[in-house]
């Protein structure tokens, strides 16, 4: 489900745009793109899979003079194969139109990006100049064949030390993405830099430099956890949300919740709520 419910009105803030681009990855994109700009790294930005523009709007925020954002999405066009059509029907058809994307994007930027309304496979024709992009976001089909193609497009499009972010590399419902991503690592020279719950970040270039850039920020102070793993000899950072401490419950309440069947605990909660509303008992933390 998208993070916010689909809306037809013009979004007032970026969070109003429905989509799957969550705050941790927004922070990681912002940090990596700003660091590139601060270091004088120039290049275009490419997004495969934009939906209603939630991530594209942020990518557009980071364009410097002379740089171009290209987005590629089917929007309201037909998919090229049955499986992709099924994916579109299941997740996007009811809410997605190109005009809705455009309206959302123009709520935050004066000009639209370059829009390719087609399957991402068309980008294999070289219309994105080789070595022209500093950042590529791959977030389109979840099918292995498509993602493997998208990874190749990203590789060809990226500058030597450019970065790729690959969405849904570990979700239970997207094994094809996992297969394509780790295949690129083990047989295609892609080096992991950062893993978040939603996205894999990597480069075919200087992995140590990308890592240094990430470590310049005090993520922990901002409420994230930072961990480190070594995968086939490459050190990889992991960022996640810090989980809030569980709500403390009194021993008797804990025991009641553990022992009573769910229907009974629901009824107990309802009764307590009613009593509380009548100010008969003090509030207790909700489950
Ligand atoms: C998960 S959504 C993108 C979410 C968006 N990046 C965000 O953060 O809100 C996936 C998008 O990929 C598009 N898509 C699916 N298969 C595609 C294909 N073969 N070629 C191009 N776009 C495709 C869908 O239309 C949908 O808009």
């Amino acid at each position: 489900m998208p993070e916010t419910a689909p809306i037809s009105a013009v979004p007032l803030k970026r969070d109003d745009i429905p989509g799957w681009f969550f705050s941790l990855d927004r922070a990681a994109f912002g940090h990596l793109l700003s660091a590139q700009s601060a270091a004088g790294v120039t290049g275009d930005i490419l997004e495969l899979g934009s939906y209603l523009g939630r991530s594209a709007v942020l990518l557009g925020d980071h364009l410097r003079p002379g740089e171009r954002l290209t987005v590629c999405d089917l929007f309201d066009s037909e998919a090229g194969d049955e499986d992709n059509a099924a994916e579109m029907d299941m997740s996007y058809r009811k809410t997605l139109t190109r005009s809705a994307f455009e309206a959302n994007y123009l709520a935050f930027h004066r000009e639209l990006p370059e829009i390719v309304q087609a399957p991402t496979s068309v980008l294999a024709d070289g219309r994105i100049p080789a070595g022209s992009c500093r950042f590529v976001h791959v977030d389109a089909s979840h099918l292995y064949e498509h993602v493997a193609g998208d990874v190749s497009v990203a590789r060809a499009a990226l500058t030597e030390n450019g970065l790729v972010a690959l969405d849904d590399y570990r979700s239970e419902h997207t094994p094809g993405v996992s297969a394509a991503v780790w295949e690129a690592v083990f047989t295609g020279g892609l080096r992991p830099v950062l893993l978040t719950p939603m996205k894999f970040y990597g480069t075919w270039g200087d992995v140590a430099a990308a890592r240094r850039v990430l470590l310049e920020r005090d993520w922990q102070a901002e409420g994230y956890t930072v961990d480190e793993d070594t995968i086939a000899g490459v050190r990889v950072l992991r960022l996640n949300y810090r989980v809030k401490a569980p709500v403390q419950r009194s021993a008797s309440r804990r025991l009641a919740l553990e022992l009573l069947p769910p229907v009974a605990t629901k009824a107990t909660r309802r009764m307590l709520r009613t009593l509380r509303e009548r100010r008969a008992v003090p509030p207790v933390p909700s489950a």
Side-chain angles (χ1 to χ4, degrees), residues 4-286:
T4 50
I7 44 164
S8 51
V10 174
L12 296 177
K13 48 188 197 321
R14 285 156 169 75
D15 268 355
D16 293 338
I17 303 175
W20 291 264
F21 192 43
F22 303 105
S23 59
L24 171 51
D25 290 294
R26 286 205 295 264
F29 275 42
H31 182 77
L32 292 167
L33 285 158
S34 300
Q36 285 180 329
S37 298
V41 173
T42 57
D44 293 336
I45 299 176
L46 173 64
E47 177 168 78
L48 314 188
S50 297
Y51 189 54
L52 289 166
R54 194 173 163 104
S55 45
V57 164
L58 182 140
L59 293 174
D61 291 339
H62 288 272
L63 285 180
R64 314 287 293 176
E67 294 179 339
R68 185 170 58 162
L69 168 64
T70 301
V71 303
C72 177
D73 199 295
L74 287 167
F75 297 114
D76 17 27
S77 301
E78 290 305 313
D81 63 78
E82 227 175 82
D83 288 346
N84 197 193
E87 249 189 316
M88 294 297 296
D89 288 346
M90 192 170 75
S91 306
Y92 316 117
R93 280 287 174 232
K94 281 195 202 119
T95 46
L96 179 60
T97 61
R98 176 172 174 165
S99 58
F101 167 85
E102 292 183 352
N104 288 340
Y105 194 89
L106 289 174
F108 301 99
H109 296 293
R110 273 205 307 247
E111 281 176 28
L112 284 172
E114 202 72 42
I115 298 179
V116 180
Q117 182 170 0
T120 54
S121 53
V122 303
L123 300 180
D125 68 2
R127 70 181 73 190
I128 306 292
S132 63
C133 294
R134 61 181 167 112
F135 195 93
V136 179
H137 181 207
V138 176
D139 191 11
S141 168
H142 294 132
L143 302 166
Y144 166 77
E145 291 75 10
H146 289 269
V147 185
D150 292 349
V151 171
S152 301
V153 164
R155 183 179 191 172
L158 281 172
T159 53
E160 190 185 346
N161 293 319
L163 297 166
V164 64
L166 297 151
D167 190 69
D168 261 334
Y169 73 104
R170 60 182 283 276
S171 301
E172 187 186 0
H173 66 291
T174 58
V177 183
S178 313
V181 170
W182 294 112
E183 177 182 57
V185 171
F186 289 109
T187 69
L190 175 61
R191 299 183 191 115
V193 174
L194 168 68
L195 303 173
T196 68
M198 297 295 287
K199 296 188 198 284
F200 170 110
Y201 297 73
T203 180
W204 281 274
D206 189 346
V207 72
R211 178 189 160 76
R212 273 197 303 277
V213 163
L214 284 164
L215 288 173
E216 278 162 11
R217 181 159 169 170
D218 189 352
W219 297 95
Q220 273 138 334
E222 293 178 46
Y224 300 110
T225 58
V226 182
D227 288 286
E228 192 169 8
D229 287 275
T230 302
I231 304 174
V234 179
R235 284 156 79 203
V236 189
L237 290 172
R238 270 192 300 116
L239 278 183
N240 206 340
Y241 301 96
R242 186 177 303 132
V243 180
K244 290 197 182 104
V247 174
Q248 292 298 316
R249 294 194 172 110
S250 70
S252 56
R253 183 173 154 82
R254 259 199 327 267
L255 196 66
L257 290 174
E258 274 164 28
L259 294 181
L260 290 172
V263 176
T265 53
K266 259 191 201 156
T268 310
R269 279 204 194 101
R270 238 190 340 262
M271 189 189 72
L272 285 171
R273 206 177 310 127
T274 312
L275 289 172
R276 238 187 354 267
E277 279 162 11
R278 291 179 192 157
R279 298 176 188 282
V281 293
V284 283
S286 60

